[in-house]
């Protein structure tokens, strides 16, 4: 067999294969301080994470929280860096306020947990920060799987 007859992997396939696949359903959990209520709280959402090469998009699953959450992340090895946005409920304490900021997460070697910090603005012209984690739940992103997560975390 001549050298030029040997199998040469497609460049695009090689580039895609360098990324682990993180697509699926994850539990998003972050902590924040409510200065108006003088206490710390935990925000939880089930989210669907979709991956295209090094780009990760995260969207909350309707029904998993009163608010909606989005993240747009870029993967660099085991580091995810990007932005987050949360639209609070019109009926909730924050009366439909929209919050957003930056986030950086480190992916644990198992690939089943991402943990890091968020940064964002507060209502009193301050910059807040706190822990944020994503915990893997299910690799499927089918409609029937997503329908199973249209509930509050911890509700069964």
């Amino acid at each position: 067999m001549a050298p030029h007859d040997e199998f040469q992997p497609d460049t695009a396939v090689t580039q895609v294969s360098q990324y682990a696949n993180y697509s699926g359903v994850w539990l998003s959990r972050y902590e924040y301080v409510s200065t108006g209520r003088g206490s710390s709280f935990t925000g939880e959402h089930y989210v669907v994470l979709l991956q295209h090469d090094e780009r990760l998009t995260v969207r909350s699953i309707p029904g998993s929280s009163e608010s909606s959450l989005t993240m747009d992340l870029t993967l660099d090895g085991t580091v995810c860096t990007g932005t987050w946005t949360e639209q609070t409920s019109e009926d909730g304490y924050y009366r439909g306020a929209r919050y957003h900021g930056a986030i950086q997460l480190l992916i644990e070697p198992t690939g089943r947990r991402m943990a890091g910090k968020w940064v964002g603005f507060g209502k009193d012209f301050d910059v807040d920060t706190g822990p944020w984690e994503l915990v893997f739940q299910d690799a499927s992103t089918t409609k029937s799987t997503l329908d199973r997560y249209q509930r509050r975390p911890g509700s069964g």
Side-chain angles (χ1 to χ4, degrees), residues 7-20 53:
F7 174 73
Q8 297 295 318
D10 179 54
T11 304
V13 172
T14 302
Q15 288 175 346
V16 170
S17 67
Q18 73 181 337
Y19 301 106
D53 296 338

Side-chain angles (χ1 to χ4, degrees), residues 101-113:
I103 186 168
Q104 192 160 55
L105 303 166
L106 300 176
I107 303 171
E108 290 185 351
T110 62
R112 297 298 193 228
R113 183 173 178 266

Side-chain angles (χ1 to χ4, degrees), residues 21-154:
N21 185 357
Y22 298 107
S23 293
V25 175
W26 295 71
L27 172 62
S28 168
R29 183 182 298 126
Y30 63 91
E31 294 177 20
Y32 65 99
V33 174
S34 172
T35 53
R37 294 180 281 180
S39 189
S40 294
F41 292 90
T42 299
E44 292 184 316
H45 298 77
Y46 284 119
V47 297
V48 60
L49 186 155
L50 299 176
Q51 180 174 353
H52 182 72
D53 296 338
E54 76 279 4
R55 308 292 288 170
L56 306 177
T57 58
V58 177
R59 302 295 182 257
S60 59
I61 297 174
S64 69
S65 178
E66 290 182 5
S67 63
S68 65
L69 175 70
T70 64
M71 287 186 224
D72 293 301
L73 305 169
T74 300
L75 184 61
D76 183 4
T78 59
V79 179
C80 291
T81 303
T83 60
W84 62 270
T85 302
E86 184 171 11
Q87 180 67 51
T88 65
S89 168
E90 293 287 336
D91 300 331
Y93 178 81
Y94 294 101
R95 302 189 191 287
R98 182 178 172 273
Y99 292 95
H100 54 89
I103 186 168
Q104 192 160 55
L105 303 166
L106 300 176
I107 303 171
E108 290 185 351
T110 62
R112 297 298 193 228
R113 183 173 178 266
M114 303 179 192
K117 299 277 187 184
W118 63 269
V119 62
F121 64 92
K123 65 179 185 177
D124 296 326
F125 298 102
D126 54 355
V127 175
D128 297 322
T129 187
W132 201 317
E133 71 174 354
L134 297 176
V135 180
F136 179 79
Q137 304 293 302
D138 196 312
S140 174
T141 59
T142 65
K143 182 180 181 330
S144 62
T145 299
L146 299 183
D147 287 348
R148 287 198 319 266
Y149 288 93
Q150 288 184 346
R151 60 182 170 79
R152 302 281 177 121

